[in-house]
Amino acid sequence: MGNEIFNPYKKFSKNDESQIKEEINVKKSFEEFNLDNLVPFKNQPFKVYSNDEMKELKDSIERIGLQNPIIVRRLENNKYEILAGHNRARAFKELGKEKIPAIIQDVDDDTAQMIMIDTNIVQRQNMTTMERAKAYKLKDEIKKRKRYDIDKVEENLSDEEKEQLASEESRQTFYRYLSLTNLIPEYQAKCDDDSLSVRAGEQLSKLNEQQQRKIYEALGDSKITENKAEELRKLANTFDEFTVDIIKENFNGDKNTIKSSIKFTKKEMEKYFSDFKSIKEIKEYLIRLLEEIDEKSENSPYGEKYY
């Protein structure tokens, strides 16, 4: 038998009475709490359900009851902070109910936050990319402080949910999502609408805010694949001054690739190209020089290459 929280609304037959008693003995007890005494968790990264999702949840509650009690922790003045179950509490209110089943956890701030994060990760079916990324960022900060009670966190998860967390949060995946929190808002939005993949976002996240904004200004809503993002990152690191013109002149929109580039140091640029006003002028100048060299080579009676 797993560690699933006992469902107070589940219907059992008489033949299940022994099982019910066994489950009640091993499960945490729950109480009915007045909805007016509940307050939301501050700065939690998860969005409220859409109207369609909320309707589906309310229909489910009316049809089969609440499958899991919410989780709260005690505050002052007879108030309780919701750690898990914000949408369930909202659904109960909209259904005109006054109370909701809840489990009390008397825990510190870091443990409370970790319970809030892990229960949402395993229970939400339509979590966006950036919801997960921001949750991982909070989780990373909590882990670094090393003050939370892991046993208190895990007792709110079933064995299946623990396995789910372990499989979804490999070190590589965890830090890949975490990197997305370094993206500018425009690219975070693209991660959420799936027009920018997690891997492509990871590449762009290695650039600073100014470089990302130059790319967005130059390319706008053009699709950026993982390979393209990697080439853009390399291009940004090629130039001491990364500009919109450089991006546009090096970006081949037709082939969806980045053209090859040559890196010049700032000193070399000042020494050889200080009189030029743009990369385009420098390019044209270098091409003319190469053409002159080729012409001299072709006209040489000895077939010499003037390089």
Side-chain angles (χ1 to χ4, degrees):
M1 184 182 300
N3 293 330
E4 295 179 1
I5 298 173
F6 174 65
N7 177 4
Y9 289 95
K10 184 177 179 181
K11 303 298 183 183
F12 291 93
S13 66
K14 290 184 178 181
N15 294 332
D16 293 323
E17 287 183 0
S18 60
Q19 180 186 353
I20 295 172
K21 291 178 182 178
E22 180 184 351
E23 290 202 10
I24 291 176
N25 286 333
V26 298
K27 306 302 177 189
K28 292 183 66 65
S29 61
F30 62 89
E31 301 177 33
E32 295 274 340
F33 284 84
N34 193 314
L35 287 164
D36 291 335
N37 292 336
L38 303 182
V39 297
F41 197 96
K42 291 182 180 179
N43 302 320
Q44 60 103 359
F46 304 103
K47 299 176 182 177
V48 297
Y49 278 4
S50 66
N51 290 336
D52 289 342
E53 290 171 323
M54 183 54 61
K55 182 180 183 304
E56 185 178 344
L57 176 59
K58 288 191 292 186
D59 289 345
S60 172
I61 290 172
E62 287 191 308
R63 190 173 64 255
I64 61 175
L66 185 66
Q67 296 185 41
N68 286 308
I70 67 171
I71 302 172
V72 300
R73 72 164 174 167
R74 201 186 318 270
L75 300 177
E76 297 178 348
N77 301 321
N78 198 34
K79 295 293 183 180
Y80 296 86
E81 184 177 43
I82 301 174
L83 306 186
H86 290 80
N87 287 299
R88 281 168 279 170
R90 176 187 160 196
F92 262 58
K93 273 192 174 183
E94 291 186 7
L95 288 170
K97 299 180 183 294
E98 295 182 356
K99 294 185 176 183
I100 188 171
I103 294 171
I104 295 182
Q105 287 281 17
D106 290 317
V107 293
D108 60 81
D109 289 347
D110 278 358
T111 304
Q113 196 166 39
M114 192 67 90
I115 291 172
M116 179 272 296
I117 293 168
D118 279 354
T119 53
N120 272 281
I121 287 175
V122 297
Q123 291 174 7
R124 285 187 175 238
Q125 296 181 353
N126 299 314
M127 185 181 301
T128 69
T129 298
M130 289 312 304
E131 279 182 312
R132 184 178 292 274
K134 291 172 183 177
Y136 283 178
K137 182 176 177 63
L138 288 174
K139 196 167 183 176
D140 187 57
E141 292 170 353
I142 294 169
K143 285 184 174 182
K144 286 177 180 177
R145 290 195 290 268
K146 298 180 179 179
R147 293 200 299 259
Y148 74 100
D149 187 335
I150 189 170
D151 292 332
K152 283 283 188 180
V153 175
E154 290 188 344
E155 71 182 34
N156 293 284
L157 302 171
S158 68
D159 291 339
E160 183 179 351
E161 288 170 338
K162 292 175 192 174
E163 291 176 5
Q164 179 184 337
L165 279 177
S167 65
E168 290 179 356
E169 295 183 7
S170 67
R171 181 178 178 84
Q172 186 178 36
T173 299
F174 185 89
Y175 285 103
R176 180 170 287 141
Y177 273 89
L178 187 61
S179 71
L180 302 182
T181 60
N182 295 322
L183 291 172
I184 60 175
E186 291 85 348
Y187 284 133
Q188 289 191 14
K190 285 183 173 296
C191 285
D192 269 349
D193 66 19
D194 295 328
S195 60
L196 183 69
S197 71
V198 173
R199 289 177 179 270
E202 180 188 21
Q203 290 294 329
L204 294 180
S205 74
K206 297 175 183 178
L207 302 174
N208 61 41
E209 180 180 350
Q210 184 180 15
Q211 290 171 323
Q212 290 182 46
R213 293 210 170 277
K214 293 295 183 185
I215 292 173
Y216 189 77
E217 184 180 348
L219 304 183
D221 292 326
S222 298
K223 184 172 180 60
I224 300 178
T225 62
E226 180 185 358
N227 288 339
K228 192 189 301 182
E230 184 177 5
E231 292 298 331
L232 282 165
R233 177 179 60 79
K234 291 178 180 177
L235 183 67
N237 293 329
T238 299
F239 295 91
D240 291 322
E241 186 177 354
F242 189 53
T243 66
V244 170
D245 285 341
I246 288 174
I247 298 167
K248 288 182 176 180
E249 289 170 13
N250 284 270
F251 182 75
N252 188 331
D254 294 332
K255 294 184 178 179
N256 210 28
T257 58
I258 302 296
K259 297 178 183 178
S260 299
S261 59
I262 301 173
K263 183 175 181 179
F264 291 99
T265 65
K266 186 175 182 180
K267 185 176 181 180
E268 289 169 336
M269 291 291 288
E270 291 174 350
K271 182 177 180 180
Y272 299 110
F273 307 113
S274 59
D275 293 334
F276 294 91
K277 296 180 180 179
S278 70
I279 297 297
K280 184 178 181 181
E281 288 186 8
I282 295 174
K283 177 182 175 182
E284 291 172 349
Y285 169 70
L286 291 175
I287 289 175
R288 284 199 305 272
L289 286 180
L290 291 171
E291 288 175 345
E292 289 175 7
I293 292 172
D294 278 342
E295 187 176 348
K296 288 181 180 179
S297 297
E298 290 174 1
N299 295 332
S300 170
Y302 305 104
E304 296 174 351
K305 290 289 185 181
Y306 287 80
Y307 295 111

